[in-house]
Amino acid sequence: MSPELITSLRATRTFTAAPVQDAHLIAVLEAGRWAGSARNRQPWRFVVVRDRALLRELGLLGAYAGHLAGAPVAILLAVDATLSTQDAEFDAGRAAQNIMLAAHALGLGTCPASFFPEANAGTATALAGLHEPWHVRTAISLGHPAPAPPGTPAIPQGRLPLRDLVIER
């Protein structure tokens, strides 16, 4: 994987109506499956959602989930937090990053969605058809990127210089 693939990854919040090919979906799920996890517990399950009504419901679950309503596919990340909350959530983040990078390599767009407050995570878990010990706090929208809307993005672009981020001792 080239550094350019990583540095060019951007959140995609608007998608075309084009469907995601099954082969591409399998490829991004495989990338998530192969993410590392503490003690190889693999504390995740991936719930694939294509149903338009369900995507709209998920898009209403918090300020950071609206883009799910317009995506052709969402991948819900269910985590078994009974294995260790910090490890499981960190490992789910590793799986999510693998999924997003694999999708980007295939020319697809993604954006993570966070279900907050906790009641929204509970609703997302129920909509996924899951129950304890599984919890869905994160989803990833997936699809073919639509052209960016005109105007200035509301979110600042770019990254801090490395010299501002690295502390050597």
Side-chain angles (χ1 to χ4, degrees), residues 60-112:
L60 297 172
L61 297 179
Y64 308 106
H67 55 89
L68 296 170
V73 178
I75 300 169
L76 310 181
L77 286 107
V79 176
D80 179 353
T82 63
L83 297 176
S84 168
T85 302
Q86 290 86 4
D87 283 352
E89 294 294 340
F90 181 80
D91 291 344
R94 295 171 73 185
Q97 187 73 359
N98 276 18
I99 287 168
M100 291 184 288
L101 284 170
H104 182 49
L106 293 168
L108 297 170
T110 60
C111 187

Side-chain angles (χ1 to χ4, degrees), residues 114-157:
S114 300
F115 298 118
F116 291 106
E118 185 62 32
N120 285 345
T123 301
T125 301
L127 289 171
L130 301 174
H131 51 80
E132 293 289 338
W134 300 102
H135 294 277
V136 176
R137 289 184 175 81
T138 306
I140 300 168
S141 55
L142 174 69
H144 297 275
T152 304
I155 298 171
Q157 304 292 300

Side-chain angles (χ1 to χ4, degrees), residues 24-33 75 98-99 102-103 106 108 142:
H24 286 168
L25 179 60
I26 298 277
V28 300
L29 292 169
E30 282 288 349
R33 181 172 81 93
I75 300 169
N98 276 18
I99 287 168
L106 293 168
L108 297 170
L142 174 69

